[in-house]
Short mmCIF file of all heavy atoms in Angstrom, two decimals:
data_model
loop_
_atom_site.label_atom_id
_atom_site.label_comp_id
_atom_site.label_asym_id
_atom_site.label_seq_id
_atom_site.Cartn_x
_atom_site.Cartn_y
_atom_site.Cartn_z
N PHE A 2065 61.85 94.99 71.49
CA PHE A 2065 62.85 95.22 72.52
C PHE A 2065 64.19 94.64 72.06
O PHE A 2065 64.25 93.54 71.52
CB PHE A 2065 62.47 94.56 73.84
CG PHE A 2065 61.45 95.32 74.64
CD1 PHE A 2065 60.20 94.74 74.92
CD2 PHE A 2065 61.72 96.58 75.12
CE1 PHE A 2065 59.27 95.44 75.67
CE2 PHE A 2065 60.79 97.28 75.87
CZ PHE A 2065 59.56 96.69 76.15
N LYS A 2066 65.26 95.39 72.34
CA LYS A 2066 66.61 94.93 72.03
C LYS A 2066 67.56 95.40 73.11
O LYS A 2066 67.53 96.56 73.52
CB LYS A 2066 67.07 95.48 70.69
CG LYS A 2066 68.47 95.01 70.27
CD LYS A 2066 68.87 95.59 68.92
CE LYS A 2066 70.27 95.13 68.52
NZ LYS A 2066 70.68 95.72 67.21
N PHE A 2067 68.37 94.45 73.62
CA PHE A 2067 69.34 94.81 74.65
C PHE A 2067 70.50 95.55 73.98
O PHE A 2067 71.08 95.07 73.00
CB PHE A 2067 69.86 93.57 75.38
CG PHE A 2067 69.93 93.76 76.87
CD1 PHE A 2067 68.90 93.35 77.69
CD2 PHE A 2067 71.03 94.38 77.45
CE1 PHE A 2067 68.96 93.54 79.07
CE2 PHE A 2067 71.12 94.56 78.81
CZ PHE A 2067 70.07 94.15 79.63
N ALA A 2068 70.85 96.72 74.54
CA ALA A 2068 71.81 97.60 73.86
C ALA A 2068 73.24 97.40 74.33
O ALA A 2068 74.19 97.70 73.61
CB ALA A 2068 71.41 99.05 74.06
N ASP A 2069 73.44 96.91 75.55
CA ASP A 2069 74.79 96.81 76.13
C ASP A 2069 75.14 95.33 76.31
O ASP A 2069 74.59 94.66 77.21
CB ASP A 2069 74.86 97.55 77.45
CG ASP A 2069 76.28 97.73 77.96
OD1 ASP A 2069 77.05 96.76 77.89
OD2 ASP A 2069 76.61 98.85 78.42
N LYS A 2070 76.03 94.81 75.50
CA LYS A 2070 76.36 93.40 75.54
C LYS A 2070 77.04 93.01 76.87
O LYS A 2070 76.78 91.93 77.41
CB LYS A 2070 77.28 93.04 74.37
CG LYS A 2070 77.58 91.53 74.26
CD LYS A 2070 78.47 91.24 73.07
CE LYS A 2070 78.71 89.74 72.95
NZ LYS A 2070 79.32 89.15 74.16
N ASP A 2071 77.96 93.86 77.37
CA ASP A 2071 78.65 93.53 78.62
C ASP A 2071 77.68 93.39 79.77
O ASP A 2071 77.77 92.46 80.59
CB ASP A 2071 79.70 94.61 78.94
CG ASP A 2071 80.87 94.59 77.96
OD1 ASP A 2071 81.10 93.52 77.36
OD2 ASP A 2071 81.52 95.64 77.79
N VAL A 2072 76.74 94.33 79.86
CA VAL A 2072 75.74 94.28 80.92
C VAL A 2072 74.86 93.03 80.75
O VAL A 2072 74.57 92.32 81.71
CB VAL A 2072 74.87 95.55 80.93
CG1 VAL A 2072 73.71 95.40 81.92
CG2 VAL A 2072 75.71 96.76 81.29
N LYS A 2073 74.45 92.77 79.51
CA LYS A 2073 73.62 91.61 79.25
C LYS A 2073 74.33 90.31 79.64
O LYS A 2073 73.75 89.45 80.31
CB LYS A 2073 73.23 91.56 77.77
CG LYS A 2073 72.35 90.36 77.40
CD LYS A 2073 71.94 90.38 75.95
CE LYS A 2073 73.12 90.09 75.04
NZ LYS A 2073 72.73 89.94 73.60
N ASP A 2074 75.60 90.17 79.28
CA ASP A 2074 76.36 88.97 79.61
C ASP A 2074 76.48 88.77 81.11
O ASP A 2074 76.37 87.65 81.63
CB ASP A 2074 77.75 89.02 78.98
CG ASP A 2074 77.70 88.87 77.46
OD1 ASP A 2074 76.65 88.44 76.94
OD2 ASP A 2074 78.71 89.16 76.80
N PHE A 2075 76.70 89.88 81.84
CA PHE A 2075 76.82 89.77 83.30
C PHE A 2075 75.48 89.34 83.90
O PHE A 2075 75.43 88.44 84.76
CB PHE A 2075 77.27 91.09 83.89
CG PHE A 2075 77.23 91.11 85.39
CD1 PHE A 2075 78.17 90.39 86.14
CD2 PHE A 2075 76.24 91.81 86.09
CE1 PHE A 2075 78.12 90.38 87.52
CE2 PHE A 2075 76.19 91.79 87.46
CZ PHE A 2075 77.13 91.09 88.19
N LEU A 2076 74.39 89.98 83.48
CA LEU A 2076 73.09 89.64 84.06
C LEU A 2076 72.70 88.20 83.73
O LEU A 2076 72.13 87.49 84.57
CB LEU A 2076 72.02 90.61 83.52
CG LEU A 2076 72.16 92.07 83.95
CD1 LEU A 2076 71.14 92.95 83.24
CD2 LEU A 2076 71.98 92.20 85.47
N VAL A 2077 73.01 87.75 82.53
CA VAL A 2077 72.71 86.37 82.17
C VAL A 2077 73.52 85.40 83.01
O VAL A 2077 73.04 84.32 83.41
CB VAL A 2077 72.98 86.14 80.65
CG1 VAL A 2077 72.98 84.66 80.32
CG2 VAL A 2077 71.95 86.88 79.82
N SER A 2078 74.76 85.78 83.35
CA SER A 2078 75.59 84.89 84.18
C SER A 2078 75.03 84.74 85.58
O SER A 2078 75.35 83.75 86.28
CB SER A 2078 77.03 85.45 84.27
OG SER A 2078 77.10 86.58 85.13
N LEU A 2079 74.17 85.67 86.01
CA LEU A 2079 73.56 85.58 87.33
C LEU A 2079 72.41 84.59 87.37
O LEU A 2079 72.21 83.89 88.36
CB LEU A 2079 73.06 86.96 87.78
CG LEU A 2079 74.08 88.07 87.93
CD1 LEU A 2079 73.41 89.38 88.32
CD2 LEU A 2079 75.14 87.71 88.95
N ILE A 2080 71.66 84.52 86.28
CA ILE A 2080 70.44 83.70 86.28
C ILE A 2080 70.67 82.32 85.65
O ILE A 2080 69.94 81.36 85.95
CB ILE A 2080 69.30 84.45 85.54
CG1 ILE A 2080 67.96 83.78 85.86
CG2 ILE A 2080 69.54 84.52 84.05
CD1 ILE A 2080 66.77 84.56 85.32
N ASP A 2081 71.70 82.17 84.83
CA ASP A 2081 71.95 80.90 84.14
C ASP A 2081 72.11 79.71 85.09
O ASP A 2081 71.61 78.62 84.80
CB ASP A 2081 73.19 81.02 83.26
CG ASP A 2081 72.83 81.28 81.80
OD1 ASP A 2081 71.62 81.18 81.47
OD2 ASP A 2081 73.73 81.55 80.98
N PRO A 2082 72.81 79.87 86.23
CA PRO A 2082 72.98 78.70 87.11
C PRO A 2082 71.65 78.05 87.50
O PRO A 2082 71.55 76.83 87.59
CB PRO A 2082 73.71 79.27 88.32
CG PRO A 2082 74.44 80.45 87.78
CD PRO A 2082 73.56 81.04 86.73
#
Side-chain angles (χ1 to χ4, degrees):
F2065 281 118
K2066 181 180 180 181
F2067 223 95
D2069 192 316
K2070 185 179 183 303
D2071 291 336
V2072 173
K2073 180 177 70 174
D2074 289 346
F2075 173 72
L2076 293 174
V2077 167
S2078 75
L2079 299 178
I2080 196 173
D2081 261 352

